[in-house]
């Protein structure tokens, strides 16, 4: 469940611009891995991956008013991992989850 704030502009020729900033917590429900050297071969690595992850969320986009209370939504979001995902003790090796998402939707 993301914890964020969404800022919207005033409507200008049926278009509203928005920006979103916040945090996106994540919970690990399963983790598997494969490697080119055959060390994992699709096995479970849940014991090496932390249960909880926290990402910073930044996004922006537009809403187009199609009439009434309906709008089309298009945007992009970027999330950047704030914590190390692994439980490995080596401080030189860290793993984080980064993602770029496309937001498409219809708002009623």
């Amino acid at each position: 469940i993301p914890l964020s704030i969404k800022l919207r502009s005033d409507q200008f020729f049926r278009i509203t611009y928005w920006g979103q900033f916040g945090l996106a917590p994540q919970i690990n429900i399963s983790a598997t891995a494969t490697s080119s050297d055959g060390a994992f071969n699709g096995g479970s690595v849940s014991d090496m991956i932390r249960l909880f992850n926290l990402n910073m969320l930044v996004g922006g986009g537009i809403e187009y008013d199609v009439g009434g209370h309906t709008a089309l939504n298009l945007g992009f979001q970027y999330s950047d991992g704030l914590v190390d995902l692994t439980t490995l003790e080596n401080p030189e090796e860290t793993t984080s989850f980064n993602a770029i998402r496309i937001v498409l939707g219809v708002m009623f």
Side-chain angles (χ1 to χ4, degrees):
I1 299 174
L3 305 168
S4 63
I5 185 168
K6 187 174 184 180
L7 307 171
R8 294 177 54 192
S9 69
D10 288 333
Q11 194 174 84
F12 182 71
F13 292 112
R14 303 186 88 161
I15 294 178
T16 303
Y17 300 97
W18 58 268
Q20 187 174 10
F21 310 95
L23 299 173
Q26 299 173 339
I27 296 175
N28 178 20
I29 57 172
S30 175
T32 59
T34 57
S35 65
S36 60
D37 64 357
F40 292 109
N41 293 331
S44 176
V45 292
S46 291
D47 58 333
M48 296 186 329
I49 305 296
R50 295 188 192 277
L51 176 66
F52 183 74
N53 183 27
L54 185 64
N55 288 345
M56 172 190 69
L57 177 69
V58 177
I62 61 171
E63 290 179 10
Y64 180 74
D65 183 13
V66 292
H69 295 287
T70 307
L72 300 176
N73 193 0
L74 171 66
F76 294 95
Q77 291 180 338
Y78 172 72
S79 62
D80 186 19
L82 298 176
V83 296
D84 184 16
L85 289 176
T86 62
T87 58
L88 303 175
E89 298 298 325
N90 189 350
E92 295 175 6
E93 296 179 13
T94 60
T95 304
S96 64
F97 180 76
N98 302 327
I100 297 175
R101 293 186 284 272
I102 299 172
V103 178
L104 297 172
V106 178
M107 306 251 316
F108 297 99

